Amino acid sequence: MTTLTNLEQVRRVVTAIPGPKSVAAIQRRAEAVSGGLGLTFPVVIERASDAIMLDLDGNQIIDMGSGIGVVNVGNSSSKVVERVIEQVQAFTHTCFTVAPYLNYIEVCEALNRLAPGTHKKKSMLANSGAEAVENAVKIARHYTKRQAIVVFEHAYHGRTNLTMALNAKNMPYKDGFGPFAPEIYRVPMPYEYRWLGPKETITEDAIEMITHKIEKEIGANNVAAILIEPIQGEGGFIVPPLGFLPALSKYCTDNGIVFMADEVQSGFARTGNMFAIESEGVIPDILITAKALGGGLPIAGVTGRAEIMDSSHVSGLGGTFGGNPVSCAAALGALETIESEDLIGRARHIGDVLGNGLLALAAKYPVIGEVRGRGAMLAIELIKPGTIEPNSDAMSKVLKYCMANGVFILSAGTYNNVIRFLPPLVITDDLLMDTLTVLDEAFATL
Ligand SMILES: *Cc1c(COP(=O)(O)O)cnc(C)c1O
């Protein structure tokens, strides 16, 4: 289907970016919109398709962020658009727990099929990643009759009260917003690039530190769940060392702890598997999804072992909008696209093309301390050459240069020094190469 939003997949800079219309709109924004909201790019979007965004001034910008890992299937992907239009014309809302409808059930069936493991699974739907995390915590506590939740350094799980407590980073997520929820315990994350101990034994040492902390400070028998992002997102695309996730999962099984994978950012083909946790064959007890699930519409999922998902009393879970039919239609369109267009294969290909390009840049510019990630979830960490001291200033300069030249790239990282790449998985090789050229120019200006 040809949609209104089909744009030629080329970068085109026709004004300064931001252009005059964006500047004017951003002034209106400042008057009307809460100052508590961040603003990564002061550029106002009119339309978008696949990996190109068109701004108010007519600039065509390469989307290397996918709205923070949401439009994996591309902006305004045709199957998402078609199904949403059909659903809006049929009905828009009943509240699933009041009067159910088929596409909610179909999304749950799809999640149960796609989530790792052949055991019997069940799902529930929510509106956002944070809400899904909150539900996962409720479910794990109810099932285990335990309270403690173990989370990691550099973790990010959302902006609601409970998820603020789960986050590792104070600014901007927590500062001044307390008090926070109790019974949250933080353990070390094996962040290899910044690990102080010997790197050869990082997996064993990290597991030892974590299990020691759990046993001495909390008591394994009090732990309801261990919650981890299989590749950390906001923390800076931190990939745990080989063997770490399997060991953690085994510890959970041995101690009756629910192992929860937050795949809100890493899920749905992004890393070259349907879910990042699959790369080492780990099967989570609960899988948390959101972002890319709806192909651009808000929807989130909690998928887990049937006995865990069924443990809560009737009406203990729910919400007015969770699994809204329009969002469910979008999710079915997105999932169909991921599978029929082999976006898993595309993510691996992007990993090769972009990954090799980034490695070449790292060889040329010593400010790039590390290239890491998997598939189409890649990052570079910037440092002061000759040290591992974070270089936030270089990051800002590079991203500003890219924006001014029509390439949107996001930052990340506990130390605000990571550039992360989350392109739509339908991005063309030409746009990837063009992005690498602009990045090369950006680094050359430092
Ligand atoms: C974005 C994100 C969340 C929160 O999702 P929202 O939809 O913004 O509430 C939770 N976990 C991870 C890993 C995320 O990247």
Side-chain angles (χ1 to χ4, degrees):
M1 179 170 127
T2 310
T3 67
L4 176 66
T5 52
N6 275 346
L7 295 167
E8 196 189 345
Q9 296 295 296
V10 291
R11 177 171 64 101
R12 195 173 286 141
V13 178
V14 297
T15 69
I17 300 179
K21 288 184 181 159
S22 276
V23 170
I26 295 297
Q27 278 164 2
R28 276 174 66 188
R29 174 188 147 128
E31 282 303 311
V33 179
S34 161
L37 293 163
L39 177 60
T40 308
F41 304 109
V43 178
V44 181
I45 299 305
E46 188 171 285
R47 289 206 255 153
S49 68
D50 295 341
I52 288 290
M53 302 171 122
L54 175 72
D55 75 7
L56 291 182
D57 296 282
N59 297 296
Q60 291 206 168
I61 294 159
I62 304 177
D63 178 8
M64 290 299 290
S66 302
I68 321 187
V70 169
V71 288
N72 287 9
V73 293
N75 287 281
S76 293
S77 179
S78 58
K79 289 199 179 87
V80 173
V81 172
E82 278 166 33
R83 285 184 183 250
V84 163
I85 290 172
E86 258 172 48
Q87 183 58 47
V88 173
Q89 288 170 335
F91 65 97
T92 54
H93 175 83
T94 62
C95 186
F96 183 74
T97 54
V98 174
Y101 37 88
L102 272 178
N103 65 10
Y104 185 115
I105 301 167
E106 287 165 356
V107 172
C108 291
E109 286 168 348
L111 287 170
N112 299 342
R113 173 172 63 82
L114 295 171
T118 54
H119 54 283
K120 170 86 177 149
K121 285 165 254 166
K122 291 196 178 184
S123 294
M124 66 158 290
L125 304 178
N127 299 292
S128 67
E131 199 192 343
V133 171
E134 294 239 5
N135 276 285
V137 169
K138 278 170 68 173
I139 292 165
R141 284 178 169 159
H142 204 280
Y143 173 73
T144 57
K145 314 263 183 295
R146 303 172 178 182
Q147 295 186 355
I149 305 294
V150 171
V151 290
F152 289 81
E153 290 171 350
H154 310 288
Y156 179 80
H157 298 289
R159 290 178 180 268
T160 56
N161 185 265
L162 175 59
T163 55
M164 278 196 293
L166 300 169
N167 292 345
K169 194 174 174 181
N170 177 46
M171 274 303 271
Y173 305 126
K174 302 167 84 160
D175 197 61
F177 294 135
F180 302 111
E183 288 304 316
I184 311 287
Y185 299 89
R186 195 166 308 283
V187 294
M189 178 71 189
Y191 180 175
E192 212 158 351
Y193 187 63
R194 298 193 172 278
W195 189 251
L196 296 175
K199 296 198 181 171
E200 307 74 55
T201 53
I202 180 171
T203 297
E204 298 86 317
D205 294 350
I207 290 288
E208 165 63 24
M209 287 160 83
I210 292 163
T211 55
H212 181 269
K213 191 164 163 130
I214 289 175
E215 274 147 33
K216 296 299 161 213
E217 292 180 26
I218 319 166
N221 61 322
N222 293 314
V223 177
I226 294 182
L227 170 64
I228 189 164
E229 300 156 83
I231 295 180
Q232 288 183 318
E234 303 303 306
F237 287 15
I238 300 165
V239 185
L242 274 179
F244 178 72
L245 292 172
L248 203 61
S249 158
K250 181 175 185 307
Y251 181 79
C252 287
T253 307
D254 292 348
N255 290 279
I257 297 168
V258 177
F259 183 70
M260 306 207 294
D262 178 347
E263 293 248 13
V264 170
Q265 196 157 155
S266 56
F268 299 109
R270 172 57 58 189
T271 62
N273 280 304
M274 188 57 79
F275 297 103
I277 194 113
E278 288 170 50
S279 77
E280 289 186 81
V282 174
I283 295 172
D285 300 309
I286 288 181
L287 177 77
I288 301 161
T289 54
K291 291 196 164 100
L293 173 58
L297 270 79
I299 185 167
V302 184
T303 301
R305 294 184 185 279
E307 65 273 21
I308 299 178
M309 295 301 294
D310 279 340
S311 73
S312 152
H313 48 273
V314 173
S315 294
L317 308 175
T320 306
F321 285 118
N324 168 273
V326 181
S327 292
C328 286
L332 293 174
L335 294 175
E336 189 190 330
T337 305
I338 289 169
E339 294 194 271
S340 68
E341 295 188 13
D342 184 28
L343 293 188
I344 290 178
R346 274 299 299 170
R348 292 182 182 191
H349 174 75
I350 292 168
D352 290 341
V353 174
L354 190 59
N356 287 333
L358 295 174
L359 285 170
L361 289 178
K364 193 166 164 188
Y365 299 107
V367 73
I368 302 176
E370 188 178 53
V371 180
R372 60 173 177 255
R374 197 184 299 141
M377 185 171 186
L378 294 174
I380 50 182
E381 176 154 0
L382 304 193
I383 41 94
K384 302 197 170 131
T387 72
I388 61 161
E389 220 182 299
N391 196 338
S392 187
D393 185 48
M395 182 208 71
S396 312
K397 285 185 177 138
V398 167
L399 295 188
K400 271 213 181 89
Y401 181 95
C402 290
M403 182 196 76
N405 288 277
V407 186
F408 279 3
I409 309 179
L410 299 171
S411 65
T414 298
Y415 313 103
N416 300 319
N417 67 328
V418 174
I419 296 179
R420 63 172 146 171
F421 301 88
L422 287 169
L425 303 178
V426 295
I427 192 169
T428 62
D429 285 10
D430 284 351
L431 287 180
L432 289 176
M433 298 316 289
D434 194 22
T435 296
L436 286 163
T437 305
V438 173
L439 267 174
D440 194 347
E441 290 165 16
F443 278 105
T445 63
L446 287 181

